[in-house]
Amino acid sequence: MANLLVTGGAGFIGGNFVHYWSREKPGDTIIVLDALTYAGNAATIAGVEQAELVVGDICDTVLVEKLLHEREIDTLVHFAAESHVDRSISGPDAFIAANIVGTHSLLKAAQAVWLDSGSGKPHRFHHISTDEVYGSLGPDDPAFCETTPYAPNSPYAASKAASDHLVRAWHHTFGLQVTTSNCSNNFGPYQHPEKLIPLFLLNALHGRALPIYGDGMNVRDWLFVTDHCRALAACLERGVLGEVYAIGGGAELPNMAVVDAICALVDTAFAADPTLAARFPDAPAAKGQPTASLKRFVEDRKGHDRRYAIDAHKAAAELGFTPAHGFESALRQTLRWYLANAGWWRPLLPEA
């Protein structure tokens, strides 16, 4: 049995990981450390009995040391981060504080408890990062892999790149037992409505515009969050110390294709379930109109990376991980979840 500290475990990916790990490892102890900023939601993990939520900041090194020591933590899974690119452009300070200073704080605490105390206890510090640290790809460029040079283009990506380098340094300099994973765009249950897929799903239900940056042809590799959690478990169980693993969903799609898929799914759902029209009367689909009528092109994001793609051969070969969900089936699951869990997302919606 293991004792886990999951930072950011009330957020989107972290919360899904807590649910996943509790199902797969019911005997393990899970301590969630989350500051419950706008992107953290205690309701995300409220039903997980074996998870204990500690409200606190990863920059509080004393608190982290106390948790590692008193709860006899042997595994730290680090999700906590500011992650929205638009927010990093308008307010980068929070990203520097959380993603760089926060990661440094965790590394210091882990070093103090797991190394400097002289216990020699086996441990693992797993750092979750992003493919955005590698920059932008041209249409014919090979996909990102673990040896792709770093070239971050947004304040968010730069802050995550810095945190990746810190984790690497603590392994090579101090001997901290670490692994790192760089994932592609996640989607699925419990994702904050500021991100593309839940934003467009919920806007479609409420008859609000679907704002498409630029020409809509920016390409991303989409990864269902449950598959990501499986990959993270594989990293913890089979990952080689000091190694980095690129985790992708194998679904490289332009944003326009994602938007069109969302519109089609919403239209199909309303046609199949007449009660949806009563629940969401402002949706075009409730009036027999196509959801696609809500599409609007808007000014492109500053420094908008054109294409991301992941070469996940190393994860397949060394971890035995391949995605189990195709994009369309996972998108259907995601829509069903949002339709069934309005109590979770309604408080997060901005006013019309």
Side-chain angles (χ1 to χ4, degrees), residues 244-263:
V244 175
Y245 297 94
I247 309 297
E252 190 180 338
L253 296 168
N255 288 345
M256 187 60 74
V258 175
V259 175
D260 288 341
I262 291 170
C263 292

Side-chain angles (χ1 to χ4, degrees), residues 148-171:
T148 300
Y150 277 42
N153 289 323
S154 70
Y156 162 60
S159 67
K160 290 298 290 184
S163 67
D164 292 4
H165 293 321
L166 287 171
V167 172
R168 173 185 168 86
W170 253 252
H171 172 69

Side-chain angles (χ1 to χ4, degrees), residues 286-307:
K287 307 163 190 174
Q289 299 171 4
T291 300
S293 64
L294 296 173
K295 293 193 294 186
R296 302 287 187 274
F297 288 94
V298 299
E299 183 180 353
D300 206 357
R301 167 192 286 162
K302 293 180 180 179
H304 198 179
D305 288 340
R306 191 62 173 174
R307 172 177 169 244

Side-chain angles (χ1 to χ4, degrees), residues 106-228:
L106 294 173
L107 291 167
K108 287 192 296 181
Q111 178 185 354
V113 175
W114 288 338
L115 300 178
D116 295 347
S117 66
S119 67
K121 181 178 183 177
H123 60 269
R124 176 67 63 89
F125 186 116
H126 184 76
H127 175 57
I128 292 89
S129 189
T130 172
D131 58 359
E132 297 194 37
V133 300
Y134 300 122
S136 183
L137 293 170
D140 299 319
D141 289 341
F144 300 136
C145 69
E146 293 80 3
T147 57
T148 300
Y150 277 42
N153 289 323
S154 70
Y156 162 60
S159 67
K160 290 298 290 184
S163 67
D164 292 4
H165 293 321
L166 287 171
V167 172
R168 173 185 168 86
W170 253 252
H171 172 69
H172 285 274
T173 301
F174 303 109
L176 196 67
Q177 296 174 12
V178 310
T179 42
T180 294
S181 54
N182 295 83
C183 68
S184 59
N185 280 38
N186 279 227
F187 69 102
Y190 299 110
Q191 189 169 27
H192 193 280
E194 71 181 359
K195 296 300 178 75
L196 189 152
I197 286 179
L199 173 68
F200 279 40
L201 284 175
L202 299 181
N203 279 11
L205 296 179
H206 292 88
R208 299 176 181 177
L210 307 181
I212 302 165
Y213 280 134
D215 63 0
M217 297 308 292
N218 298 74
V219 173
R220 299 293 182 264
D221 179 355
W222 292 94
L223 172 65
F224 190 47
V225 69
T226 303
D227 281 330
H228 189 193

